[in-house]
Amino acid sequence: MHGRERNEASKPEETAAKALELRSLQSQFMSNHHQKIYTQEAIQLSAKLLGINPEAYTAWNYRKLALESRIDEDSDPSLVDSIIDEELRVVQNALKRNPKSYGAWYHRKWVLSKKGHYYSSLEKELQLLNDYQKQCLVNDYQKQDDPKKQDNARNFHAWNYRRFVVELTETSEEDELQYTNMINDICFSIYSAWHYRSVLVSSLVAKNADGFMPKETIRRELDYVHNAIFTDELGQSGWFYYLWLLDQTLKMETPLRFSSWPSDGSIITTFCSESGSFPLILYFDQAVSGVSSSTVTIDSELKANEDLVWEPVSDNKNSQVDSCVWVAHLKFDSRGPCFSRKENKVKVSLGGIVSSMGCNLSTPYEFVFTVLHTVGESSQQGIVSWTDGFNNWDDAQSKDLNSFIALNADAGFEWRKEAIKIEIDHLRNLPDSKFGKLILARLLMAEETMISDDAVKGFHYTEILQLYNDLIALDSWHAQYYKDEHSVALLHKVTSSTESMFRHLFRYRNMNNIVCLRLNNLTLSRIAAVEKLLFVQMLDLSNNELHSAEGLEAMQLLCCLNLSHNRIMSFSALDSLRHLKQLRVLDVSHNLIGGEHPVDTTRYLCSSPLSNSGEVGREVPCKYWDAYLVLRDLMKLKQLDIRGNDLIFSGEEFSSFVRQVVPKLVWLDGHKLTN
Amino acid sequence: MADKLVADKHVRYILMAEKKKESFESVVMDHLRMNGAYWGLTTLDLLDKLGSVSAVSGGFAGNTGHDPHVIYTLSAVQILALFDKLSILDVQKVSSYIAGLQNKDGSFSGDMWGEVDTRFSYIAICCLSILKCLDKINVKKAVDYIVSCKNLDGGFGCTPGAESHARQIFCCVGALAITGNLHHVDKDLLGWWLCERQDYESGGLNGRPEKLPDVCYSWWVLSSLIMIDRVHWIEKGKLVKFILDCQDMDNGGISDNPKDAVDIFHTYFGVAGLSLLEYPGVKTIDPAYALPVHVINRILFTK
């Protein structure tokens, strides 16, 4: 019970008497309420009840009915005033008893929103609130070490109510910003004030208000928040605001960026014996909607590709959905006339796409790639091995090693880089501080993405990785968080240059020399940098610490995936794989699937009846429901390995379940299946 | 120092509370008898002791005589789900009552008096999903409204512009989970804000920055982290220890912190939190519906 000590001695006679009084009040009140009695006496009784027990919500309802019965459009103004005064007084009393009573705060709001414009003392309401909040702050401050202190300066009801009164009295946002300054001057750790500030500043910038242009506002706010974070050692609130400002510095008005497969200037090879299509993948750095054949046009001599169907890589296939990854399939006809020519150029134009953050693609962006047709060997039929049959990477081969490309010229780049540099310098000068190190690491990562000069690229990664290692030592409770961030940085480092990538690339002879990327044994707990890996067809992530396949859904070319010896705990964690329609070989052996992990942390991140998504009406078996949902979508799956996982999957039951769900499976756990 | 869960004592505490109806504490909370029943009964099921109470009846107000409100309607539906007695409900009537509370902007009022809060969005969505009547509301608008309550720190508030608070975050994330819309959540941003709720001294979780830890956040923060798959970012062992320390080892029951008096509300959140932390001997609870997994699976899967 909040605020009541255990073993608080209370005399039984006293509490019994109190209980009796309250019980009697409550019954009388109920009787008045049900009989709709709104006499002065009855109304005062309800006030008495609410003064003792502000949570008796029905009594607040009753008072609203009583008010409606006493005043209407034609009532005398002074009567209205006095009744409003009375209601506000009752609320005030109730709040003294419980400053966090939902019923009390809402009643005040209801009264003023219904009758506020009749109320002569409306302007006083904001002043009353200012005084109340300030008094709370001063009280809290004085009783800092008192465990019984109420902590009302952070009362979110009061702050929410404030926004209501501000709107009702049409107070300006600039004035409110001054108010948050006043609060911060007294105490820097009132998160509510910083939150409110972020809302006000965003709104003023969005409106282009005087003195609130993006660049100058950010500079001013960064200087302002320095006071909080560099002086108030223990307070967290300023740091969160600082983080948000830095995020705005990087993202405000930045252009949309994307990467694609095939990428600009690349040459892709198709084999005449294969099915006549290949995917065109667009990967944006923000979720976008409206990708369709009217916004993305294809110009090529391949078979008519005018009405391409673009689909988001998400569960909802609606074109209005926001998604980062979009795919369409370009068809080619191996018997068609264009095949007499070995090469065909394809030009792709992007225009009119809108991101969820409001970025617009103002001028069309074009890129061109070449399709090369060859007569190839038929696909291998034998079992795919992860150890034998690989060739080293041939340096001479061109590579689709691409990062995000900005779709618009970014005029504001320079001030952003400057601002980040200044903050990096400040942070470097701080003594060991968890927030300081974390934010420095993030800023260095951001700076890396802004560097276009290949010679200097990759420079920061060593420092970034060291910072995360320092953080794991400094703040061990959040070790897994820093580990995840470390993995992200490591993957960006590996993919930051062609030389470092080449060490991880191979070709698998037995499958038409498809591209294989080996990222095994890197202690990776998280997948990242996927925008650079769209060209990969075979991926080895074995012997890492991954607990989910989140991020892999964009790798639409993937046909072989090795996730063995990781920390996958359920099939729901592999939900992303459902989108990999080309997947033929999947190894999830030696994980933790089906073991003593009753809590499923990916239960709601996949489409299922639990989240009211996926195909409506389709029957989903209760047992192995997540395995069912993942496997049934992998139409091309031929080889699956689930050995070395726990308990419920051992033995015949699960194997026969798999064979039912994936009838075309050829190899299971290293053995060829007989029909 | 508490080193184990004294489950039997908590069971006894809950059953005794049923009987102490005339104490002052009980009378003052008369209006939420329905919620109290849900908290008490769910805790009993998690500890595998549901057989020890007889069937419950009740309206959808907090108690007989009180006015109807969605808060109590949800508890009523959850209680019936626990006992597999949803069939006694007039599903048409209940779902229409809830659907009728959706406003034009997609938000939900708590009752006829119009208070709007994302808590009510969650309640409506959770309730209707259990009753399999989600199509009675405009889900897209409901989701749009919830998304409009997303803040710049990744969290969610009661209404657009309101600051992030763990309780609201649970409600919004839960509602988005149940409607398959978790892609609207910035899981990394919110996950980090949530994992920073852990207090280094006690191991407990608070509800927002600079506040004191409280056992009820072991549910709200933890279930949110689980739904977005970021629970590995907190120190679980220390949190278990904090919850165990909040037990009254002699009389049973769990409180908000080790020094305060126990109550049914915190007993439920403590045990539910331990369930999410995979404490041995406690059944698994579903993080979105706040009911045992076996109950939810029984209702939502066809066979």
Side-chain angles (χ1 to χ4, degrees), chain B residues 152-170:
Chain B
L152 302 161
D153 50 20
F156 294 84
C158 325
T159 46
E163 74 179 279
S164 302
H165 185 288
R167 205 183 314 141
Q168 308 304 135
I169 290 171
F170 161 73

Side-chain angles (χ1 to χ4, degrees), chain A residues 307-332:
Chain A
D307 283 318
L308 273 187
V309 175
W310 283 94
E311 280 189 342
V313 176
S314 82
D315 290 316
N316 190 338
K317 297 294 181 196
N318 186 321
S319 66
Q320 292 315 307
V321 152
D322 283 329
S323 173
C324 286
V325 190
W326 292 80
V327 183
H329 294 270
L330 266 70
K331 299 189 234 345
F332 59 89

Side-chain angles (χ1 to χ4, degrees), chain A residues 596-665:
Chain A
E596 286 301 304
H597 304 284
V599 173
D600 182 355
T601 61
T602 39
R603 191 168 159 85
Y604 287 97
L605 293 172
C606 53
S607 281
S608 79
L610 293 167
S611 57
N612 291 286
S613 44
E615 288 163 46
V616 176
R618 185 148 187 173
E619 292 223 331
V620 179
C622 185
K623 196 167 190 194
Y624 309 137
W625 62 269
D626 50 348
Y628 173 79
L629 288 170
V630 172
L631 294 174
R632 67 136 195 233
D633 276 357
L634 299 177
M635 304 295 211
K636 291 193 177 171
L637 194 65
K638 295 261 183 298
Q639 180 177 331
L640 177 64
D641 200 327
I642 47 174
R643 281 173 284 194
N645 283 293
D646 234 337
L647 296 169
I648 63 170
F649 294 124
S650 61
E652 272 309 299
E653 192 189 62
F654 191 69
S655 310
S656 55
F657 171 79
V658 168
R659 294 174 68 167
Q660 269 187 318
V661 180
V662 195
K664 292 194 186 144
L665 201 63

Side-chain angles (χ1 to χ4, degrees), chain B residues 59-216:
Chain B
F60 308 134
N63 204 342
T64 46
H66 279 272
D67 293 346
H69 194 288
V70 284
I71 292 179
Y72 310 107
T73 306
L74 176 63
S75 285
V77 169
Q78 285 170 316
I79 292 167
L80 292 173
L82 268 180
F83 284 112
D84 200 5
K85 291 265 191 289
L86 284 169
S87 51
I88 73 172
L89 274 180
D90 182 343
V91 173
Q92 251 294 78
K93 203 163 124 197
V94 178
S95 55
S96 297
Y97 168 73
I98 296 172
L101 290 166
Q102 184 169 31
N103 301 308
K104 283 211 190 68
D105 61 358
S107 66
F108 282 85
S109 300
D111 63 8
M112 60 179 274
W113 294 107
E115 184 188 0
V116 169
D117 188 314
T118 45
R119 286 178 297 150
F120 308 144
S121 301
Y122 166 75
I123 286 171
I125 285 169
C126 179
C127 214
L128 292 175
S129 182
I130 292 174
L131 297 175
K132 309 219 184 148
C133 293
L134 254 188
D135 52 359
K136 281 197 147 170
I137 58 167
N138 186 332
V139 175
K140 181 173 186 313
K141 283 211 140 220
V143 169
D144 286 345
Y145 180 76
I146 292 171
V147 172
S148 76
C149 296
K150 188 163 48 164
N151 291 319
L152 302 161
D153 50 20
F156 294 84
C158 325
T159 46
E163 74 179 279
S164 302
H165 185 288
R167 205 183 314 141
Q168 308 304 135
I169 290 171
F170 161 73
C171 289
C172 292
V173 173
L176 292 174
I178 293 172
T179 55
N181 279 284
L182 279 175
H183 54 272
H184 287 294
V185 178
D186 185 335
K187 302 197 276 288
D188 290 333
L189 184 60
L190 178 58
W192 180 69
W193 190 91
L194 286 170
C195 81
E196 282 290 324
R197 299 303 104 241
Q198 193 161 25
D199 170 47
Y200 289 106
E201 271 186 43
S202 62
L205 300 169
N206 64 23
R208 47 193 173 123
E210 333 282 13
K211 300 277 282 181
L212 294 170
D214 182 324
V215 152
C216 56

Side-chain angles (χ1 to χ4, degrees), chain A residues 194 243 346 360 448 545 651:
Chain A
W194 288 105
L243 258 164
V346 179
N360 262 332
E448 268 298 330
E545 295 167 24

Side-chain angles (χ1 to χ4, degrees), chain A residues 1-2 4 6 33-34 53 57-58 102 106 154 163 191-192 195 237 434 475 526 601 604 612 622, chain B residues 28 65-67 113 153 160-161 163 167 178 188 196 200 208 210 214 229 247 255 261 263 286 303:
Chain A
M1 179 96 52
H2 300 131
R4 260 219 335 160
R6 205 172 289 189
H33 178 48
H34 289 294
N53 185 6
Y57 70 97
T58 304
Y102 278 99
Y106 182 63
R154 299 185 175 90
R163 287 180 302 113
Y191 192 82
S192 316
H195 161 79
S237 307
K434 164 182 111 175
D475 177 19
R526 192 165 165 162
T601 61
Y604 287 97
N612 291 286
C622 185
Chain B
V28 113
H66 279 272
D67 293 346
W113 294 107
D153 50 20
E163 74 179 279
R167 205 183 314 141
I178 293 172
D188 290 333
E196 282 290 324
Y200 289 106
R208 47 193 173 123
E210 333 282 13
D214 182 324
D229 191 19
Q247 297 175 99
S255 58
D263 60 53
D286 182 286
K303 53 174 162 52

